[in-house]
Amino acid sequence: MDLLEYQVKEWFGKIGIPVLPSQRIDHPTDLKRLKIRYPVVLKSQVHAAERAKAGGVRIVETTIDAIAAAQTIFNLPIWGELPEVLLAESKYDAKQELYLAVVLDTALCRPVLLGCKEADIDWETAGEKMEYVVVEQEFSPFYARRLALKLGLAGTLMQSISAVIEKMYQLFIQKDLDLVEINPLAISVTGQVMALNGKVRVNERSIGRHPDIAEMAAKINSTHRPGEVNSNLGNWDGIELHGKIGILGNGTGSVLATLDLVANAGGKPGVCLNLRHGFQTDTAKTTFCDRLNRSLQILAADRSIQVILLNLLGSISQSDEFVEIISKFLQQDKSELKSSSVRSNGSKSRRESYFPRLVVRLAGSEFNAARKALASLKTQGDTLILVENLDEAVAESVRLAKSTTYKK
């Protein structure tokens, strides 16, 4: 989960990284009560890059100009994203700009300090321009000074920038982050350093351990429709495609393998969710069955999904609750059909229902009890299809999705 700039600046200020006076703007009229002296920089608060090139960053000299610029920026989509908030910030004259970051290197399984004498670069593609220091043991100021020396800094400037790097690492550890970035870190003619822009990427597994981050995640979740919730998941926990077959699995491998099989069989995969891990937006600990229930509701709310393919391998610790969730989901289907029939005086058929069918594949001896219980459920038509072979489950899902007798 990436934070917006104004949120990053709040964290920077609290931990002691120097930031400019700024003010959050929720509506253009808020600029009438601006507490910052002009000239002021107005910044669109979106996750998309290249805001300045798109016109999302404006320098203004007066209140009238600021209000007019804010109205324009609020209505300016950048890579399809409209800002809900702007950031008003004091203008800063920089003599020199640097790039600094602390990133989790997944190959080394260690934090790495990054620095470059050039700003406005991408740390993943900077190549030889980027200096780095691997934090191999418990962090000490030595690591920060070592990076500053590699950047060719000396004297008081080396001390100032080393102190900023230390604060960045402190924030990185405190909040369980994957990335803390200052781009650029500006240096004035007097040697004062200032974080002009920053980026923070939260490790999704850590959200539940931090109430303030969990609250942010919940707000993100509340601003999306049920069918869009998956866009807030990490890449390994969800894939958002636009086909007719939703896929649920209890492992990354099983989800991706099922997706490939569906595509190879001529089907169109839709939203794919991994039930092994909690959602990024979960604010408390969840069980497998909690995630199963929520995932079924997410897919059922997406009207592009015609079939849900549930592929589970190994075992689950809540077999009885698992069966109960599936049963309630099927009852929800019957309620949908009944209400549809009442509204149309009995003339409405299943093909006009907006509820997906469910294909369940359970692999493993520990699923025997659950399999027997599901087989005994009284379902209407082919609402529930229970199979043991994955190829058969995929074939049934593709057949149902292509069926001309069932279209949403």
Side-chain angles (χ1 to χ4, degrees):
M1 182 179 78
D2 290 346
L3 301 191
L4 294 169
E5 182 190 0
Y6 80 94
Q7 297 169 321
V8 174
K9 293 286 182 68
E10 288 176 0
W11 280 12
F12 281 1
K14 289 178 181 177
I15 207 161
I17 296 173
V19 293
L20 292 167
S22 62
Q23 189 172 327
R24 169 176 166 165
I25 305 299
D26 295 291
H27 189 272
T29 55
D30 291 347
L31 290 160
K32 295 179 179 180
R33 297 174 291 277
L34 191 64
K35 299 177 181 178
I36 306 169
R37 291 184 179 180
Y38 289 95
V40 166
V41 181
L42 292 179
K43 299 182 180 182
S44 176
Q45 296 301 285
V46 294
H47 293 99
E50 300 182 342
R51 292 177 301 175
K53 292 181 180 179
V57 178
R58 306 283 182 93
I59 299 175
V60 292
E61 302 281 348
T62 66
T63 301
I64 294 176
D65 291 342
I67 293 174
Q71 290 173 339
T72 300
I73 296 174
F74 268 118
N75 292 284
L76 177 68
I78 302 178
W79 291 99
E81 183 180 358
L82 280 171
E84 296 183 0
V85 176
L86 304 187
L87 181 67
E89 193 172 64
S90 297
K91 187 175 179 294
Y92 190 79
D93 294 321
K95 176 185 177 183
Q96 182 183 357
E97 293 182 344
L98 304 176
Y99 173 92
L100 294 176
V102 182
V103 62
L104 178 63
D105 190 313
T106 54
L108 299 173
C109 297
R110 300 298 305 169
V112 178
L113 310 181
L114 300 176
C116 185
K117 294 179 181 179
E118 297 180 18
D120 296 325
I121 61 171
D122 184 342
W123 68 271
E124 294 181 291
T125 59
E128 295 180 356
K129 295 180 180 181
M130 190 72 72
E131 302 291 345
Y132 69 92
V133 174
V134 180
V135 182
E136 297 175 339
Q137 300 176 350
E138 184 177 351
F139 184 82
S140 72
F142 160 77
Y143 288 107
R145 289 196 297 270
R146 186 177 177 186
L147 179 61
L149 288 171
K150 283 191 171 187
L151 292 173
L153 305 174
T156 56
L157 186 57
M158 184 196 74
Q159 295 176 4
S160 299
I161 292 181
S162 296
V164 171
I165 298 170
E166 289 181 46
K167 295 295 185 182
M168 292 172 67
Y169 189 85
Q170 185 180 345
L171 180 64
F172 179 85
I173 296 299
Q174 281 185 2
K175 299 293 188 180
D176 291 322
L177 305 178
D178 284 339
L179 171 70
V180 179
E181 179 182 84
I182 299 178
N183 185 21
L185 179 77
I187 304 169
S188 69
V189 291
T190 60
Q192 180 190 38
V193 296
M194 189 68 62
L196 296 190
N197 195 7
K199 183 176 182 179
V200 162
R201 179 167 297 155
V202 180
N203 186 295
E204 63 200 36
R205 300 279 174 262
S206 70
I207 290 177
R209 297 195 293 270
H210 301 277
D212 56 336
I213 302 177
E215 185 177 351
M216 291 180 185
K219 288 181 180 178
I220 292 174
N221 185 28
S222 66
T223 60
H224 290 76
R225 297 189 302 272
E228 296 176 327
V229 172
N230 187 56
S231 62
N232 296 318
L233 301 178
N235 291 335
W236 293 109
D237 292 333
I239 302 171
E240 186 162 13
L241 303 175
H242 302 286
K244 301 176 181 179
I245 304 174
I247 297 172
L248 301 179
N250 59 339
T252 300
S254 67
V255 171
L256 295 180
T258 306
L259 187 156
D260 288 341
L261 289 172
V262 168
N264 290 337
K268 296 181 179 180
V271 175
C272 306
L273 299 176
N274 180 5
L275 302 176
R276 177 164 290 177
H277 304 298
F279 292 127
Q280 174 181 316
T281 51
D282 287 335
T283 58
K285 185 177 180 180
T286 61
T287 66
F288 170 83
C289 286
D290 291 335
R291 296 189 289 274
L292 171 63
N293 183 57
R294 184 176 173 192
S295 298
L296 288 172
Q297 300 307 319
I298 289 173
L299 295 183
D302 187 342
R303 293 196 170 191
S304 65
I305 299 295
Q306 295 183 359
V307 180
I308 298 175
L309 174 53
L310 178 58
N311 178 28
L312 301 182
L313 302 173
S315 63
I316 55 176
S317 59
Q318 303 162 291
S319 179
D320 293 341
E321 188 177 349
F322 167 76
V323 174
E324 183 180 352
I325 288 172
I326 298 297
S327 177
K328 287 183 178 179
F329 184 72
L330 297 175
Q331 290 173 11
Q332 185 178 339
D333 180 17
K334 291 179 182 179
S335 298
E336 181 97 358
L337 290 173
K338 183 177 179 180
S339 61
S340 296
S341 298
V342 170
R343 287 194 299 270
S344 59
N345 295 321
S347 63
K348 196 159 185 92
S349 65
R350 179 173 177 84
R351 74 183 58 171
E352 294 171 286
S353 170
Y354 291 106
F355 210 87
R357 290 162 172 170
L358 184 62
V359 178
V360 179
R361 183 257 182 158
L362 305 176
S365 57
E366 295 189 33
F367 279 115
N368 286 340
R371 192 180 295 109
K372 290 179 181 178
L374 289 179
S376 66
L377 293 177
K378 294 181 179 180
T379 61
Q380 181 171 348
D382 50 10
T383 301
L384 171 66
I385 296 178
L386 186 63
V387 296
E388 294 187 36
N389 183 278
L390 180 55
D391 290 333
E392 182 184 350
V394 169
E396 285 294 323
S397 299
V398 174
R399 179 185 67 82
L400 291 171
K402 290 184 176 180
S403 174
T404 57
T405 60
Y406 177 52
K407 294 181 179 179
K408 291 191 177 187

